[in-house]
Every structure is written in structure tokens, then in C-alpha cells.
Amino acid sequence: MGRVQEGGEDLMFQPSALAYTYDGSFEGLLCCVFESYVWRETPLAIHAEGGEQGLLLEAKWIGTDKDKAERVLKSIPLRISPEAEELVRMGFWTCEPDKEMLLLRFLYLGFQHGRKVMNMLADDTVNALMKAVQQLRREGHLYTGFVRFSVYGQVMAAVIEPQGYILPVIQKHFCDRFQGESFMIYDQTHGMALVHEPGREAILPLSGWTPPEPDEAEEAYRRLWTGFYHAIGIKERRNDRLRSSLMPRRYWKHMVEMNGSNGVPAHKGSAPGHLHDPPGTPSLELTILKLQPASDD
């Protein structure tokens, strides 16, 4: 049940046998928060459009209104704290089940207690949200070391399959590190890509992209990297259990030194050096071109 303060008086929101449905965007979720306050009701569930709906509840569609979302977003740093705004944003990027309801309950608490909510670690809602964001940050940190780029033409590209939506978390690290390069990090899990070229960057929707076939130079560099990886290992000190703890196996699929093919995955299709994508999917160059400003003509 949600509790808020209005004019110094506590008000209790009554649970409603409703499931809010929204478009899956961060702005859409903020509109769910807005509607909850407008109608003085606490839904029993909040689902993204197209997501699974486990409970047999009456569905209530919450449309996305940028003005309403902006009002809620601006109120968070003012009535709670700037740190709370960052926590809510990052909480939305996590893979926490029922994260929408978790964030709604956190905002109920935040608007009631203000800045103090950030230190209410004994509260189940605050504790769960903090842990979820901590896990997101940890996954992002691991990917700063586990991303493996390959060179295709004039562009570097990498594929990742994170559990959380970490592209905004790792964006600054890679864009600062490779300021003079054109690169793309494709998040296969969420169908998004971080695209960078000197002077500009963006996170864009991209689905179904498959890496092109590596050319001879790329294959040679993969063999060199894989050879170096094995050469510096000390056989007598090998500890597979520790390695799996520090480098979980779910990351190995896109790491050339760990994929079991001597760093050169088997590809079928076009000749070496030719950018080849499945029909209907954009090439790397086309993705980079999306960052170009529109012509004035």
C-alpha cells in the first residue's frame, strides 16, 4: 500500500485490482507513477507492453505523456535527492523482476521521507533496489574488461549479451577510451547498440545484427591474442574454479580467447574483408551514418 504526505497529513493509497500496462519506456513508467498519484491508487502489477502478465487483473493502459513524465522526473531531485534520481534511472535498467513495482514503492517512500530514504537500508524496498543497482554496476564494470572488439573495414564492433541494460553504464568508459575511433557495441539481449565516431555518440535500436566474416588481418590478430592469452598462463597454477568465479562462463561466448576455436569463429557467407549482414539488417556503416546530422537541403 502506498503512503504519501500531503499538507503534513499522511494519505494511504488503496490497493486496486489493476495491472498498469505501459509502453516499456522510462518515460512511460514515470507516467504510471503520475497516474497512481492522480487516482490515489496502487496497482498490484505494472507490465511493459508485450510482457508476461501472470496475474488475472484488469489491465489499465497508461499512455506516455512527456509533460507528465517530466513533472515526475523533476520532482525526484527536488523532493528526494539527485542521488535518488540516478538510482531510479539505473533501477529501470536492471533485470530485477517486477522492477516497475519496486521503483513505484521506492518513490512512495522517497516522496514521504525525502532525502532520508537513501539511508533506509533496512527497508525491504530500498534494500532490494540498492542491490539491483549494485549488480547492474558490477556487470557494467566487468564488461569494461570483457568486451572484445573486432575490426570490420573502418569500424570496430563487439557483441555482448548482458543481463541488465548496461550500455548507458559503460558508454563513458568506452567513448573516452576510444575517442578517435569509430566503434559499435551491440547489446544482443536488449536489441540496442552504442555507436561512436569521433565527436559524436548515441545509443540506437538495432536488432538481429550478426558480425560480418573476419578478413585475414582480423583472423591473424585473433590468433595473436589467443596465443598471447595461452602463453602467459602458468599450467601448474591453473585454477578453473577461480577463473569461473572471476570471469563467469556466461561472458565467454563473445571472448575470442575462450570460445574454443582458437579465436577464429567459423563463419559462412561472403569473402574475407567484405561486410556482410543478413537481409534486412543494417551494416555497420549504415549504423554510423545514423549519427550524421540531417541535410538542410
Side-chain angles (χ1 to χ4, degrees), residues 189-224:
T189 306
H190 301 91
M192 301 293 289
L194 168 59
V195 182
H196 174 275
E197 65 177 12
R200 64 189 73 192
E201 62 197 61
I203 296 178
L204 305 169
L206 180 66
S207 60
W209 184 79
T210 302
E213 183 179 356
D215 60 16
E216 293 179 0
E218 173 61 25
E219 289 181 347
Y221 278 115
R222 292 185 185 187
R223 283 192 291 268
L224 284 171

Side-chain angles (χ1 to χ4, degrees), residues 2-3 38 58 63 93 107 132 163 168 195:
R3 177 191 291 270
V38 167
E58 179 184 353
W93 298 335
L107 289 174
Q163 293 177 335
V195 182

Side-chain angles (χ1 to χ4, degrees), residues 143 147 158-162 166-167 170 185-189 254:
Y143 264 113
V147 170
V159 179
I160 60 175
E161 293 186 49
I166 64 163
L167 288 182
I170 65 176
I185 301 176
Y186 172 49
D187 179 348
Q188 188 171 326
T189 306
H254 299 292

Side-chain angles (χ1 to χ4, degrees), residues 13-14 16 18 20 35-36 39-43 60 108:
F13 288 178
Q14 295 298 320
S16 302
L18 295 172
Y20 284 0
E35 294 298 326
S36 173
W39 296 103
R40 299 288 197 272
E41 62 186 14
T42 300
K60 181 176 181 179
Y108 284 160

Side-chain angles (χ1 to χ4, degrees), residues 214-274:
D215 60 16
E216 293 179 0
E218 173 61 25
E219 289 181 347
Y221 278 115
R222 292 185 185 187
R223 283 192 291 268
L224 284 171
W225 171 248
T226 304
F228 170 77
Y229 172 80
H230 291 293
I232 63 173
I234 302 174
K235 183 177 180 181
E236 291 74 16
R237 299 183 63 181
R238 177 166 177 160
N239 186 332
D240 290 337
R241 188 173 184 177
L242 178 61
R243 180 176 64 173
S244 295
S245 175
L246 299 176
M247 184 190 295
R249 288 181 177 271
R250 68 184 180 88
Y251 297 97
W252 293 11
K253 178 179 177 181
H254 299 292
M255 303 176 71
V256 295
E257 69 271 30
M258 305 298 293
N259 62 21
S261 58
N262 197 31
V264 185
H267 287 265
K268 297 181 181 180
S270 58
H274 177 66

Side-chain angles (χ1 to χ4, degrees), residues 71-90:
R71 287 176 61 182
V72 175
L73 187 61
K74 286 182 176 179
S75 70
I76 297 174
L78 292 176
R79 297 181 58 186
I80 309 176
S81 69
E83 294 78 15
E85 179 185 353
E86 181 183 14
L87 186 69
V88 170
R89 284 186 182 276
M90 297 194 74

